[in-house]
Amino acid sequence: MLTRPRTMALVVTSESCAPNWYNGTDKSMMLGNCLFRCGGAAALLTNDPAYRSRAKMELRCLVRAHIGAHDDAHAAAVHCEDADGRLGVSLSKALPKAAVRAFSENLQRLAPRILPAAELARFTVRLLARKLMRRKLKFEGPKINFKTGVDHFCLHPGGTAVIEAVRKNLGLNSYDVEPATMTLHRWGNTSASSLWYVLSYMEAKRRLKAGDRVLMVTFGSGFKCNSCYWEVSKDLDDAGAWEDCIDDYPPETMVNPYTEKFGWVNDLQGQGGAFPF
């Protein structure tokens, strides 16, 4: 009988803006300078049962959806040169559409693995009813309830629009997206390390109790959407990176203090301008 070797891995995630800082004039490549912020985090993972009593969480499921075979998705975020030969990251207008497609494919594969049979059956019945009755009367489209299998949602804080889109798609409330929103407010979008800041917020607020189920969702170039399903092993209360400011969150207001000082910000917002923070 073959046995899995016992291993331990140090996973380091970071965002370093300096190497990819763009100093040209292509607007699609200037956006990256505004979206991202330097930051990093590390996690120690192991499959050795000897460390079970010391573990904070146990990974139950991981799903990776990569849609790079689609041309528009592949070109949504590309490291390339502009017309003048300056290197940078180009973010196309197709990026939101690619994110939605990757997110949808990920959830389709994830749901049967983490949700109870009763919820899957309810969704199937409503889906069939909608198909049978759509020609005769208006029938609200079925929505699967991820809260039947998830207690906490650790969402990628890629921007207010990203958080809001995921909130609507999963039927979440302001409490559910508070960790992601506060992480974006305090630390910005630190790319791959962002999720660990979000998780740390939950821990600092003492939300994570033994047996709770946590769903991590993140996006990346490629284009891809990855999700991890964790089970909390014990009550957690380490403030971590939030130790010096957790009592100040959430703040009384999220209004940008510069919106009144600089009139052009209001002008852009009135014209439909989008701001990542």
Side-chain angles (χ1 to χ4, degrees), residues 118-191:
E119 174 59 22
L120 296 174
R122 183 199 67 82
F123 174 77
T124 302
V125 170
R126 288 183 61 83
L127 182 62
L128 292 174
R130 183 193 183 192
K131 290 182 178 180
L132 293 173
M133 300 173 65
R134 63 183 177 182
R135 294 183 180 179
K136 298 181 180 180
L137 49 84
K138 292 183 178 180
F139 191 84
E140 184 181 353
K143 276 194 174 183
I144 199 160
N145 184 9
F146 274 86
K147 288 189 176 183
T148 58
V150 180
D151 299 299
H152 308 282
F153 295 85
C154 186
L155 308 178
H156 176 63
T160 53
V162 173
I163 297 172
E164 181 63 14
V166 176
R167 185 193 69 78
K168 288 182 177 180
N169 276 276
L170 293 182
L172 307 181
N173 55 37
S174 57
Y175 177 85
D176 297 321
V177 300
E178 179 186 306
T181 303
M182 296 306 110
T183 296
L184 184 64
H185 181 276
R186 173 65 180 86
W187 305 101
N189 177 3
T190 58
S191 192

Side-chain angles (χ1 to χ4, degrees), residues 68-88:
H70 301 277
D71 290 342
D72 57 341
H74 179 73
V78 179
H79 188 253
C80 59
E81 293 183 353
D82 65 7
D84 298 320
R86 295 187 177 93
L87 276 173

Side-chain angles (χ1 to χ4, degrees), residues 4-250:
R4 182 185 302 175
R6 299 178 181 180
T7 59
M8 184 170 290
L10 176 63
V11 180
V12 180
T13 56
S14 67
E15 173 63 24
S16 181
C17 300
N20 293 313
W21 186 262
Y22 178 67
N23 60 358
T25 58
D26 188 316
K27 293 181 179 180
S28 70
M29 301 173 74
M30 293 169 65
L31 186 57
N33 294 350
C34 306
L35 283 174
F36 302 104
R37 182 180 179 184
C38 293
L44 192 63
L45 306 179
T46 182
N47 64 350
D48 191 337
Y51 293 97
R52 184 181 295 273
S53 61
R54 299 174 59 182
K56 289 186 173 183
M57 300 189 300
E58 185 172 347
L59 181 61
R60 292 295 188 182
C61 174
L62 185 150
V63 174
R64 183 173 186 264
H66 196 299
I67 59 170
H70 301 277
D71 290 342
D72 57 341
H74 179 73
V78 179
H79 188 253
C80 59
E81 293 183 353
D82 65 7
D84 298 320
R86 295 187 177 93
L87 276 173
V89 177
S90 174
L91 303 177
S92 77
K93 294 181 179 180
L95 194 150
K97 184 178 179 180
V100 170
R101 179 187 294 173
F103 186 45
S104 177
E105 288 193 14
N106 190 288
L107 293 185
Q108 288 177 22
R109 293 164 51 193
L110 178 70
R113 303 174 67 177
I114 69 173
L115 297 183
E119 174 59 22
L120 296 174
R122 183 199 67 82
F123 174 77
T124 302
V125 170
R126 288 183 61 83
L127 182 62
L128 292 174
R130 183 193 183 192
K131 290 182 178 180
L132 293 173
M133 300 173 65
R134 63 183 177 182
R135 294 183 180 179
K136 298 181 180 180
L137 49 84
K138 292 183 178 180
F139 191 84
E140 184 181 353
K143 276 194 174 183
I144 199 160
N145 184 9
F146 274 86
K147 288 189 176 183
T148 58
V150 180
D151 299 299
H152 308 282
F153 295 85
C154 186
L155 308 178
H156 176 63
T160 53
V162 173
I163 297 172
E164 181 63 14
V166 176
R167 185 193 69 78
K168 288 182 177 180
N169 276 276
L170 293 182
L172 307 181
N173 55 37
S174 57
Y175 177 85
D176 297 321
V177 300
E178 179 186 306
T181 303
M182 296 306 110
T183 296
L184 184 64
H185 181 276
R186 173 65 180 86
W187 305 101
N189 177 3
T190 58
S191 192
S193 61
S194 294
L195 284 177
W196 301 110
Y197 286 93
V198 178
L199 188 67
S200 180
Y201 181 90
M202 296 178 182
E203 188 174 354
K205 285 292 186 181
R206 300 187 178 185
R207 291 189 178 191
L208 305 180
K209 306 297 181 182
D212 283 359
R213 301 154 299 179
V214 181
L215 176 61
M216 277 184 168
V217 179
T218 188
F219 301 94
S221 58
F223 197 87
K224 55 184 172 288
C225 174
N226 297 336
S227 59
C228 294
Y229 187 65
W230 302 87
E231 182 176 329
V232 181
S233 302
K234 55 187 176 183
D235 294 355
L236 302 179
D237 59 3
D238 183 5
W242 294 87
E243 186 173 6
D244 65 341
C245 62
I246 191 61
D247 293 335
D248 298 326
Y249 282 88

